[in-house]
Amino acid sequence: GAGVSQSPSNKVTEKGKDVELRCDPISGHTALYWYRQSLGQGLEFLIYFQGNSAPDKSGLPSDRFSAERTGGSVSTLTIQRTQQEDSAVYLCASSQTSNSPLHFGNGTRLTVT
Amino acid sequence: RKEVEQDPGPFNVPEGATVAFNCTYSNSASQSFFWYRQDCRKEPKLLMSVYSSGNEDGRFTAQLNRASQYISLLIRDSKLSDSATYLCVVKPRSSGAGSYQLTFGKGTKLSVIP
């Protein structure tokens, strides 16, 4: 069946511009996560959505980062006024429940010039 | 001490060799443990969960030592296709706030050489 879909797969943007990253989770998965992975680094937790509960935003690195999940399905991660240190691969994952294994999308490779 | 620590490698081993990766974690309240595999420029994929009694899946064996806060992954009869980065992943607790947050190690790179 269809896996987690992310778009765009690559994004190059100029410093100071806003970007929006999209994640389409596996149908029926109630939990959705955003992580980012910088070169040579481990995955860094950003935000978690579970059903209709308030999201856990504790991993967002600054107030320039925000995310929403509409209708319990598609999620968008928005980065305002991008900085060079935002360059990373942004990975979205979904799971059937919060205790189920995570299924990752292919990621969006963001480069801020 | 980092939350999840792994030897970054790289481990370069010949085909057919047995190789072991180790991982230590700092949070003694951690409840669930996993090994994920990540191919170059690809997303991580679940390889196997790690159970207290140890578990085996074909050529792969995972073990957990709670007393030492240590997890291991053993790969027997290495194949070229095993070349990847292996991520140690820890889940803090079974329920409550933050229970869903997986903490990933930086990974151990394995290259299996013909």
Side-chain angles (χ1 to χ4, degrees):
Chain A
V4 177
S5 177
Q6 290 188 246
S7 61
S9 54
N10 282 284
K11 176 73 177 178
V12 180
T13 190
E14 291 179 354
K15 179 181 170 181
K17 300 278 179 141
D18 298 352
V19 294
E20 192 171 279
L21 313 180
R22 177 188 166 106
C23 172
D24 202 339
I26 293 173
S27 178
H29 280 196
T30 61
L32 187 147
Y33 309 73
W34 283 97
Y35 282 83
R36 75 175 174 182
Q37 188 173 31
S38 302
L39 191 63
Q41 301 298 312
L43 273 73
E44 176 190 0
F45 169 78
L46 297 177
I47 189 168
Y48 165 77
F49 295 90
Q50 172 60 51
N52 296 321
S53 303
D56 178 350
K57 305 179 181 180
S58 61
L60 296 179
S62 78
D63 59 8
R64 295 186 295 104
F65 288 71
S66 62
E68 61 178 28
R69 188 180 185 191
T70 53
S73 180
V74 172
S75 176
T76 53
L77 176 69
T78 301
I79 309 173
Q80 295 177 310
R81 305 180 302 282
T82 52
Q83 304 294 312
Q84 287 186 330
E85 61 264 27
D86 299 335
S87 296
V89 176
Y90 289 80
L91 290 158
C92 176
S94 71
S95 62
Q96 200 161 22
T97 70
S98 60
N99 286 316
S100 305
L102 269 61
H103 298 265
F104 283 88
N106 292 333
T108 293
R109 185 172 298 274
L110 175 66
T111 304
V112 182
T113 60
Chain B
R1 183 178 176 182
K2 292 178 184 174
E3 287 192 65
V4 179
E5 208 152 358
Q6 296 182 249
D7 181 341
F11 283 60
N12 299 315
V13 303
E15 268 186 293
T18 295
V19 61
F21 305 136
N22 301 322
C23 169
T24 56
Y25 59 95
S26 60
N27 186 347
S28 60
S30 298
Q31 293 287 336
S32 304
F33 310 90
F34 310 89
W35 284 101
Y36 275 70
R37 170 194 169 130
Q38 186 171 25
D39 291 281
C40 188
R41 300 178 79 88
K42 297 284 190 181
E43 75 277 17
K45 291 184 179 177
L46 178 67
L47 178 66
M48 60 196 302
S49 302
V50 185
Y51 302 120
S52 297
S53 55
N55 49 300
E56 190 173 306
D57 182 2
R59 298 181 293 109
F60 299 83
T61 300
Q63 291 193 313
L64 167 65
N65 183 323
R66 285 189 186 273
S68 302
Q69 295 179 208
Y70 168 101
I71 307 156
S72 67
L73 176 68
L74 183 79
I75 305 175
R76 290 182 298 278
D77 188 23
S78 301
K79 310 291 184 191
L80 296 177
S81 56
D82 294 335
S83 298
T85 296
Y86 290 83
L87 306 174
C88 176
V89 184
V90 173
K91 193 163 177 282
R93 61 188 71 83
S94 59
S95 62
S99 62
Y100 45 80
Q101 284 192 26
L102 300 183
T103 301
F104 287 77
K106 291 185 180 181
T108 299
K109 186 172 181 180
L110 171 67
S111 293
V112 180
I113 304 162

